[in-house]
């Protein structure tokens, strides 16, 4: 697990976007796993900039989103379908039929979730999965207690997540309490994981995920089990890491890097 700390949110986001660009430049038909939330917004802006100014091409790319609220249609402004269209898809040249976001309106959750898992396999599996982290340490909507082997399924959201999301809805009773989410086991099958986190409000969850035990109580700690995961942080999100200096030292002394005179 690599921990990369940048001083600002923009620098952190640009570094994470570079990982995606590096993949697309070597594998133009890559499969990307995408996340929603405020954290990946600047990463998506940077991908859009690279598309517009550096020719980053998405015509052969396939995407799978981590999750969607149950009960919200694709045109609801708080749905993750809407988020992805507004913040990424409509600004790049990806064919919309190549994009997948779990259905917020399916009545047959079990069949839909099995289809979603199968579709990921049919497309060859996810090359890079982008992740954020919830303040309770969740990835996607895998709330505390979610099995580290869990698969795509319907999940009841934790109170803290419902409260975190309340700011986006007019009335508290409008905040969805269920979501369809990829499982931790599904996420761990991606070939590479890239988690982004910024701000002090994430510092505790980040410290627990990186330096705590692997536990279903902090599902982001499952990244410790993955052979190729990178966590991009800003200074504030990294502020509670005990080994912060060590991570910086590793970055400055990667194998193959020129040794200082
Ligand atoms: C939701 C999403 C997660 C996301 C989290 C954090 O719970 N399901 O995928 O990581 O929010 O969101 P933000 O980046 O806005 O803090």
């Amino acid at each position: 697990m690599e921990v990369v700390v940048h001083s600002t949110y923009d620098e952190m986001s640009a570094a994470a976007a570079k990982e995606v660009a590096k993949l697309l430049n070597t594998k133009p038909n890559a499969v990307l796993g995408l996340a929603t939330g405020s954290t990946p917004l600047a990463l998506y802006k940077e991908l859009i900039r690279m598309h517009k100014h550096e020719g980053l091409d998405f015509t052969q790319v396939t995407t799978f989103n981590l999750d969607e609220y149950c009960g919200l249609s694709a045109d609801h402004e708080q749905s993750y379908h809407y988020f992805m269209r507004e913040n990424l898809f409509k600004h790049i040249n990806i064919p919309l039929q190549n994009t997948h976001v779990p259905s917020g309106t399916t009545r047959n959750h079990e069949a839909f979730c099995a289809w979603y898992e199968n579709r990921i396999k049919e497309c060859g599996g996810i090359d890079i999965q982008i992740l954020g982290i919830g303040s309770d340490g969740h990835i996607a909507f895998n709330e505390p207690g979610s099995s580290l082997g869990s698969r795509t399924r319907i999940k009841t959201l934790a109170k803290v997540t419902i409260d975190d999301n309340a700011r986006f809805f007019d009335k508290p009773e409008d905040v969805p309490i269920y979501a369809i989410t990829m499982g931790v086991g599904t996420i761990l099958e991606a070939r590479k994981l890239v988690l982004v986190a910024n701000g002090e409000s994430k510092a505790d969850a980040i410290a627990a995920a990186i330096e705590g035990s692997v536990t279903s109580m902090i599902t982001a700690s499952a990244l410790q089990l993955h052979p190729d995961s990178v966590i991009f942080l800003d200074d504030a999100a990294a502020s509670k890491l005990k080994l912060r200096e060590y991570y910086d030292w590793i970055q400055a002394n990667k194998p193959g890097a020129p040794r200082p005179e």
Side-chain angles (χ1 to χ4, degrees):
M1 190 169 63
E2 212 180 323
V3 180
V4 185
V5 186
H6 285 275
S7 34
T8 67
Y9 169 63
D10 284 340
E11 281 169 22
M12 165 202 112
S13 305
K18 254 195 205 131
E19 289 288 338
V20 177
K22 201 165 73 185
L23 169 71
L24 298 192
N25 287 329
T26 50
K27 186 176 180 187
N29 62 346
V31 179
L32 298 179
L34 300 176
T36 50
S38 47
T39 313
L41 279 174
L43 189 171
Y44 294 152
K45 277 208 179 102
E46 178 61 7
L47 290 180
I48 294 165
R49 189 198 64 76
M50 288 173 173
H51 165 65
K52 293 204 163 128
H53 300 289
E54 293 170 10
L56 189 64
D57 180 37
F58 291 84
T59 50
Q60 298 178 66
V61 170
T62 300
T63 65
F64 287 90
N65 264 77
L66 288 168
D67 45 16
E68 177 60 288
Y69 293 116
C70 293
L72 302 193
S73 62
D75 55 4
H76 189 292
E77 284 189 20
Q78 295 309 330
S79 74
Y80 288 169
H81 281 80
Y82 187 90
F83 176 101
M84 289 313 303
R85 245 183 356 254
E86 290 303 307
N87 293 302
L88 184 63
F89 298 153
K90 79 176 191 189
H91 305 287
I92 56 177
N93 61 346
I94 191 161
L96 276 185
Q97 68 270 21
N98 291 7
T99 67
H100 304 80
V101 181
S103 168
T105 52
T106 179
R107 292 203 190 155
N108 191 342
H109 297 107
E110 213 174 305
F112 178 82
C113 294
W115 175 83
Y116 203 71
E117 289 268 338
N118 197 41
R119 186 83 193 113
I120 295 174
K121 284 202 184 87
E122 273 173 9
C123 293
I126 292 171
D127 289 300
I128 286 187
Q129 176 65 59
I130 307 291
L131 298 162
I133 186 168
S135 50
D136 61 2
H138 70 220
I139 45 174
F141 272 130
N142 292 289
E143 298 287 27
S146 294
S147 158
L148 301 185
S150 52
R151 311 300 308 185
T152 303
R153 68 209 183 289
I154 183 168
K155 184 86 194 111
T156 306
L157 302 182
K159 186 78 179 62
V160 61
T161 305
I162 296 169
D163 293 346
D164 280 352
N165 293 339
R167 65 187 195 277
F168 300 115
F169 293 84
D170 293 338
K171 293 178 273 162
E173 58 270 29
D174 291 345
V175 188
I177 65 165
Y178 302 108
I180 288 188
T181 180
M182 277 189 208
V184 182
T186 321
I187 292 168
L188 287 176
E189 279 172 11
R191 289 179 193 98
K192 186 180 187 99
L193 303 179
V194 170
L195 187 144
V196 280
N198 70 297
E200 220 182 307
S201 65
K202 299 293 172 67
D204 283 320
I206 281 296
I210 297 174
E211 295 179 343
S213 314
V214 175
T215 169
S216 62
M217 298 314 286
I218 303 280
T219 51
S221 67
L223 268 72
Q224 295 179 33
L225 299 170
H226 195 281
D228 189 3
S229 62
V230 196
I231 302 185
F232 289 100
L233 306 171
D234 73 348
D235 276 329
S239 61
K240 296 199 173 157
L241 290 172
K242 292 198 188 79
L243 297 187
R244 163 69 204 266
E245 280 179 24
Y246 174 59
Y247 306 131
D248 290 346
W249 192 83
I250 291 176
Q251 285 308 307
N253 295 282
K254 282 188 154 188
R259 289 201 56 90
E261 297 285 306

